[in-house]
């Protein structure tokens, strides 16, 4: 058998896998495309091992290691994708944005206000040392007791 046949097939498989990684937005399809690329590499390893008539069959041994690594990669990758899907509700790669990309000033309260509220609050009664109820750091000034009372009604 000529070396050109498996080499061309491996190149086509690798190109299809590369297109899938670059063009797809679904995380599971990206993992499947990576598996196609690894299978193309395995095909090349076995084809060149047979073509070179290696007595140690090192190409086939490397193929076994690649299959083991691919199995571990797909297991961990699917576990991560399932965990992200349960938390976010989508496996679309474009919609999975980390919270670190948001503006930190919009999401976190002012540290001076929260530190002052923590110092002025008596832990037993929930009332500040000046007799007023502490604010929760919210813009509307509602306290934790007010929120609890509203939730029960």
């Amino acid at each position: 058998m000529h070396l050109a046949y498996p080499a061309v097939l491996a190149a086509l498989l690798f190109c299809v896998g590369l297109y899938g990684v670059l063009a797809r937005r679904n995380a599971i399809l990206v993992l499947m495309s990576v598996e196609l690329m690894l299978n193309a590499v395995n095909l090349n390893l076995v084809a060149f091992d047979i073509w070179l008539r290696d007595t140690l069959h090192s190409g086939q041994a490397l193929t076994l290691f690649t299959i083991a690594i691919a199995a571990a990669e797909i297991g961990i990758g699917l576990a991560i994708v399932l965990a992200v899907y349960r938390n976010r509700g989508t496996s679309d790669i474009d919609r999975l944005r980390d919270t670190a990309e948001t503006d930190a000033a919009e999401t976190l309260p002012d540290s001076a206000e929260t530190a002052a509220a923590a110092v002025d609050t008596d832990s037993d009664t929930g009332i500040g040392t000046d007799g007023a109820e502490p604010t929760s750091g919210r813009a509307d000034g509602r306290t934790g007791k007010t929120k609890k009372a509203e939730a029960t009604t």
Side-chain angles (χ1 to χ4, degrees):
M1 179 170 70
H2 296 287
L3 182 63
Y5 299 130
V8 169
L9 180 61
L12 288 175
L13 274 176
F14 193 85
C15 289
V16 169
L18 185 64
Y19 172 75
V21 167
L22 296 177
R24 298 292 177 193
R25 297 296 171 231
N26 189 346
I28 295 175
L29 292 177
V30 170
L31 286 174
M32 289 174 58
S33 298
V34 169
E35 291 296 320
L36 274 177
M37 292 167 55
L38 287 172
N39 285 332
V41 170
N42 288 340
L43 182 61
N44 268 334
L45 284 171
V46 171
F48 277 96
D49 182 52
I50 291 173
W51 184 66
L52 293 174
R53 294 188 177 97
D54 187 16
T55 57
L56 295 176
H57 300 291
S58 57
Q60 294 177 17
L62 284 174
T63 299
L64 290 176
F65 285 118
T66 308
I67 289 172
I69 289 171
E73 175 258 335
I74 199 69
I76 292 171
L78 280 176
I80 291 171
V81 168
L82 285 174
V84 167
Y85 182 76
R86 286 181 183 165
N87 287 335
R88 306 268 176 107
T90 184
S91 63
D92 189 10
I93 294 175
D94 286 337
R95 294 186 185 192
L96 300 178
R97 303 261 186 228
D98 195 11
T99 57
E101 292 180 5
T102 61
D103 189 11
E106 292 177 10
T107 58
L108 298 175
D110 188 15
S111 60
E113 290 177 10
T114 56
V119 170
D120 289 340
T121 304
D122 185 10
S123 61
D124 293 335
T125 61
I127 299 175
T129 56
D130 58 352
E133 289 186 341
T135 59
S136 64
R138 294 176 48 129
D140 58 0
R142 292 188 299 166
T143 63
K145 291 182 180 181
T146 310
K147 287 185 274 182
K148 289 178 186 175
E150 289 174 359
T152 59
T153 58

